[in-house]
């Protein structure tokens, strides 16, 4: 067994009680402990002179005791010990409260290394409650790690236990990085890196150690993704589709001209589908960039080759919408389309399942219901997941398992900078639709305070009277779901009874049953309803071209990417559209978000900014993407490390695709472990 996997309670100094405290912090094993990394360091290596000291900061000094310690008792229960000290630049007083026993420690003439916070008090420079140690000629200061802690464990205890763990584990810690690469990249060994990150000689040492560990993490992740890509069958032989010419009719018959970007991406897809390599392609395109028609082209090609195609959407609303869109796009072609979702009568469900298995339907649109066991395709040649960020990796694989190595296409509206896309979707080829269909009116975006409400409501009234529709979105945050649900409901009540009693207003939120939600959404789509009050359940993909107003309440509660997605619900028709963000918070990040949204509508720019503002940890909310958590690596700070790790990973995998060599044995062990966990993870949104 790997020592990293040893349960923590078997470590000296950690009993069952401590172990349960550690468990609270997510630390179960020695490995967890060693990767519980310091969040900061206190640098005691540099000593400075009193004159150079900065008030309020912790610093190290070399100080001589100049007089006898004194104790005063200004009131009951309080004693103050003062020790006068100096260096070549000035004088100071070390001060302790209620620690009289220290008095006998100090005597005039002694020289101490003193570490503490400098303050200016009663015309004196003071160092309160400092750490101290007798100075000796061979003194070297240290850098103290500061750990994330929880109740019941102190930083000092943490330090000791980590040191203990390092000493126990030290003989069998092996670097995973192959020798060739650790030499090439001048990396310290894994043990040295771990020692260096916990107990560095100086801050630079800590950073070098962290980068080495980050490199290992990113290398493993990257190799894992590439390896997974092979296992996923991308490099396997796939179906070799033909008859590309017959796709022309479909494209010519479209009610609009495809954009150059759509044509380019369709060509990339065709070239995958017609090769004997299995397609495993991600299509990224901003909201409204026209991904649906691109996926339709791929499905048509599959069907014209005698195969079935399927597309899985994250919500029933979206599945319905795709179904309608496709029926319309394919109305002049001899192609039969079916719809499968959770809320169907038993009878229609059975009938569609039959048609799927006997091949009567060519294209099946659906929700998660598609990956149930009862669904058997006759001859599935192409599997598409729409809005991939709403699914887990596992579900994508389950869908493709419905066929015999069908080609795979994954659509997402979450644009991600390319280097990072490689991390998230390293197992996929990537196409980008970086152009919106022509004639899209720029959405005017305004961030205002709620004092503008009256004007906004009268503006909305005017638009609705002209025939338009409006979304009103209220925040929903899990922890306070109740309160926020109320706010959607309250807003609905307020709008219906006070503000717009003469309009038809609907409500939709996550606590409603599926059927209820569908009904609301449908009557908004058909135009029966003028205003739809909702939570973020309308976030993805829904298309109501007549709706041209998006009013977002408490906009500060939403993330940048989310606001961008919400805004993408409008500006889909021929009408000028308006996104109004109501924000009363003076929080600077919130204001920055509003500013960004007002200044750009480019999803890629917005996601870069989002990454900067939120930091990668949150951005990649690993849960959402089903990736192993990065402990040492910081995707924002470590773009250089990421790049070298990516290069090296590609080289390693291309030289040894099955990771059979001795040098790569440990890598293989690690990634099998990581990806076994990943495969087990099922993420439902
Ligand atoms: P998304 O990329 O967000 O999934 P959709 O596929 O839903 O976008 O397309 C958004 C809208 O744009 C739809 O109404 C669709 O009919 C329209 N559309 C797509 N491509 C074009 C095009 N080349 N020219 C004009 N309209 C287009
Ligand atoms: Mg879409």
């Amino acid at each position: 067994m790997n020592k990293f996997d040893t349960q923590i309670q078997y470590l000296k100094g950690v009993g069952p009680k401590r172990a349960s405290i550690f468990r609270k912090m997510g630390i179960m094993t020695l490995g967890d402990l060693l990767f519980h990394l310091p969040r900061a360091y206190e640098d005691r290596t540099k000593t400075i002179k009193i004159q150079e000291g900065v008030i309020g900061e912790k610093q190290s000094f070399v100080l001589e005791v100049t007089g006898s310690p004194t104790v005063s008792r200004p009131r009951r229960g309080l004693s103050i010990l003062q020790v006068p000290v100096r260096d070549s630049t000035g004088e100071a007083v070390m001060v302790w409260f209620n620690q009289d026993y220290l008095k006998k420690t100090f005597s005039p003439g002694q020289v101490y290394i003193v570490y503490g916070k400098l303050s200016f008090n009663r015309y004196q420079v003071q160092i309160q409650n400092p750490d101290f140690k007798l100075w000796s000629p061979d003194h070297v200061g240290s850098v103290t790690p500061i750990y994330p802690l929880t109740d019941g464990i102190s930083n000092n205890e943490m330090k000791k236990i980590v040191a203990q763990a390092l000493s126990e584990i030290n003989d069998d810690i092996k670097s995973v990085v192959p020798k060739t690469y650790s030499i090439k990249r001048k990396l310290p060994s894994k043990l040295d890196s771990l020692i260096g990150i916990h107990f560095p000689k100086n801050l630079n040492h800590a950073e070098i150690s962290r980068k080495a560990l980050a490199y290992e993490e990113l290398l493993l992740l990257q190799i894992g993704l590439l390896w997974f890509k092979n296992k996923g069958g991308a490099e396997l032989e796939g179906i070799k589709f033909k008859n590309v010419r017959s796709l022309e009719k479909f494209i010519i018959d479209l009610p609009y001209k495809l954009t150059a970007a759509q044509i380019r991406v369709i060509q990339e897809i065709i070239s995958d589908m017609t090769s004997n390599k299995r397609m495993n392609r991600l299509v990224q395109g901003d909201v409204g960039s026209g991904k649906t028609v691109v996926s339709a082209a791929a499905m048509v090609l599959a069907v014209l080759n005698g195969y079935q195609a399927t597309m899985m959407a994250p919500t029933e609303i979206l599945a319905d919408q795709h179904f309608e869109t496709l029926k319309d796009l394919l109305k002049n072609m001899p192609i039969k389309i079916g719809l499968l979702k959770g809320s169907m009568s038993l009878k229609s469900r059975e009938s569609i399942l039959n048609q799927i298995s006997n091949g009567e339907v060519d294209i099946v649109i659906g929700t998660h219901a598609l990956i149930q066991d009862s669904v058997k395709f006759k001859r599935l040649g192409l599997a598409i997941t729409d809005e991939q960020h709403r699914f887990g990796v596992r579900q994508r694989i389950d869908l493709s398992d419905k066929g015999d190595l069908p080609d795979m296409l994954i659509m997402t509206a979450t644009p991600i900078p390319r280097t990072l896309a490689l991390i998230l979707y390293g197992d996929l080829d990537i196409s980008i639709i970086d152009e919106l269909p022509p004639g899209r009116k720029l959405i005017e975006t305004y961030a205002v305070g709620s004092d503008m409400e009256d004007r906004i409501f009268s503006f909305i009234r005017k638009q609705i009277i002209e025939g338009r529709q409006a979304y009103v979105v209220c925040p929903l945050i899990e922890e306070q779901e109740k309160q926020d649900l109320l706010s959607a409901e309250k807003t609905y009540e307020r709008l219906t009874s006070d503000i717009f009693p003469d309009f038809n207003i609907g409500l939709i939120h996550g606590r409603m049953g599926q059927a209820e939600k569908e009904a609301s959404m449908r009557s908004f789509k058909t135009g029966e309803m003028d205003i739809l009050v909702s939570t973020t359940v309308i976030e993805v993909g829904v298309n109501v071209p007549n709706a041209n107003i998006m009013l977002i309440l408490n906009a500060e509660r939403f993330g940048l990417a989310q606001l961008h997605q919400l805004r993408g619900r409008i500006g889909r028709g021929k009408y000028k559209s308006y996104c109004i963000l109501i924000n009363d918070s003076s929080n600077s990040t919130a204001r920055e978000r509003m500013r960004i949204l007002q200044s750009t509508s480019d999803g890629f720019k917005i996601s870069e900014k989002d990454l900067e503002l939120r930091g990668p940890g949150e951005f990649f909310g690993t849960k959402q993407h089903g990736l192993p958590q990065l402990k040492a690596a910081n995707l924002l700070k470590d773009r250089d490390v990421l790049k070298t790790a990516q290069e090296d990973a590609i080289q390693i995998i291309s030289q040894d695709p099955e990771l059979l060599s001795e040098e790569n044995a440990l890598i293989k062990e690690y990634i099998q472990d990581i990806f076994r966990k990943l495969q087990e993870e099922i993420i439902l949104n």
Side-chain angles (χ1 to χ4, degrees), residues 228-238 277-278 280 405:
F228 195 51
K229 183 172 176 175
N230 292 343
K231 294 286 151 213
E235 301 299 329
L236 293 175
E237 201 145 312
K277 194 190 114 190
R278 184 186 193 194
N280 206 12
L405 296 180

Side-chain angles (χ1 to χ4, degrees), residues 430-448:
I430 298 174
S431 289
I432 300 178
I433 309 182
D434 49 6
E435 185 184 349
L436 294 181
R440 283 282 155 80
K441 302 251 170 31
L442 199 69
I443 299 170
E444 279 186 28
T445 301
Y446 302 97
V448 299

Side-chain angles (χ1 to χ4, degrees), residues 45-114:
T45 54
K46 272 198 299 241
T47 59
I48 56 168
K49 299 292 185 188
I50 292 175
Q51 284 240 307
E52 302 164 328
V54 179
I55 299 291
E57 274 186 21
K58 285 191 160 183
Q59 295 147 93
S60 284
F61 305 89
V62 179
L63 301 172
E64 181 190 348
V65 178
T66 54
S68 303
T70 57
V71 173
S72 59
R73 298 181 197 284
R75 57 182 157 85
R76 264 184 72 170
L78 176 67
S79 73
I80 302 176
L81 168 67
Q82 301 201 41
V83 181
V85 289
R86 70 150 181 234
D87 67 10
S88 58
T89 67
E91 299 184 339
V93 183
M94 301 197 287
V95 179
W96 283 271
F97 301 97
N98 295 336
Q99 295 183 55
D100 301 4
Y101 64 92
L102 286 176
K103 185 177 172 185
K104 51 184 183 304
T105 314
F106 300 101
S107 52
Q110 288 176 324
V111 178
Y112 283 92
I113 301 276
V114 176

